[in-house]
Amino acid sequence: SIRLRIMGRTTEALTLTNKALDQLETSGADERLIAWTIRRRGSVRIKAGDVSGALEDSRRALEIFERLGDTYNVGQCHHDIGVSLEQQGNISGAEHHYRLALRIWETLGNAYDLPNALNSLAVCAYLRGNYDEALNWFNECLEIALQIGATRYIAFAQAGIGDVYLGLEDYDRALEAYHVSNDFARRA
């Protein structure tokens, strides 16, 4: 189902995920596996445009992972909830969950997921029209992404920086950031 989701075949991915979840719950499988499957279904639902269903799945998975003390997956769920809330236009709610994920990544020393949370916070600041804050978050994201060689996150941060400069009507800097973003996106 993960491959089908990536390929954009969300209906098939959702069918498989639902079937897997039914089998896991019926067989009394380990709660961690059930929570992971619920979270995966949420990622399929968000891609399919079912934001409410994705939010419901992310919150359900969060409850299970919190009960199990699985900090890493709690952070993942907070980020997923943030994505759903952002899609619904609830920017302050999204920021709250992105900040929770950020704290978890900092606590765990998880440099790989840290740029994603920073980028998400930058997007929220940008959507609120707070360009200075957005630029600070994007630059922090970029710095960490460069340190760990995360090409995809470098491209995201540079695109966001371009968006900020475009909003500030600094077209030369926007064009430069977009150019760098495209170069890194091709590499990714």
Side-chain angles (χ1 to χ4, degrees):
S1 71
I2 292 170
R3 288 192 187 276
L4 290 169
R5 178 186 59 85
I6 291 168
M7 293 168 40
R9 295 166 57 185
T10 55
T11 302
E12 294 168 271
L14 190 56
T15 299
L16 282 176
T17 306
N18 283 330
K19 185 183 281 188
L21 186 57
D22 286 343
Q23 290 175 358
L24 291 168
E25 290 177 329
T26 301
S27 69
D30 181 82
E31 267 193 306
R32 189 175 318 271
L33 185 54
I34 291 171
W36 187 86
T37 305
I38 293 167
R39 184 172 167 259
R40 287 290 139 229
R41 184 175 67 183
S43 69
V44 173
R45 284 178 158 177
I46 194 99
K47 186 149 185 155
D50 180 7
V51 179
S52 295
L55 186 56
E56 180 183 317
D57 281 345
S58 296
R59 286 180 171 153
R60 185 173 166 209
L62 174 63
E63 287 176 20
I64 297 169
F65 285 129
E66 284 180 330
R67 187 172 56 249
L68 295 172
D70 186 336
T71 306
Y72 175 79
N73 279 302
V74 166
Q76 291 290 336
C77 288
H78 278 300
H79 195 272
D80 293 347
I81 291 168
V83 169
S84 294
L85 292 172
E86 185 181 329
Q87 289 284 320
Q88 291 180 333
N90 183 350
I91 304 306
S92 63
E95 275 184 303
H96 171 74
H97 285 279
Y98 292 146
R99 286 181 191 276
L100 291 172
L102 178 68
R103 279 190 226 125
I104 289 170
W105 303 146
E106 289 172 337
T107 300
L108 293 176
N110 181 351
Y112 180 76
D113 288 307
L114 192 57
N116 197 25
L118 294 167
N119 188 76
S120 296
L121 285 166
V123 169
C124 288
Y126 172 80
L127 291 172
R128 284 188 285 101
N130 190 336
Y131 296 142
D132 290 336
E133 181 185 348
L135 200 53
N136 287 335
W137 286 118
F138 280 129
N139 280 319
E140 190 174 345
C141 171
L142 178 61
E143 181 181 320
I144 292 170
L146 285 166
Q147 287 172 7
I148 64 172
T151 308
R152 185 170 162 252
Y153 291 130
I154 295 168
F156 288 157
Q158 286 289 355
I161 290 168
D163 290 344
V164 170
Y165 284 130
L166 187 62
L168 294 170
E169 298 181 6
D170 187 340
Y171 303 116
D172 290 336
R173 290 173 90 177
L175 188 60
E176 179 184 333
Y178 289 140
H179 178 72
V180 172
S181 176
N182 284 336
D183 285 345
F184 277 95
R186 276 189 220 102
R187 292 182 211 174

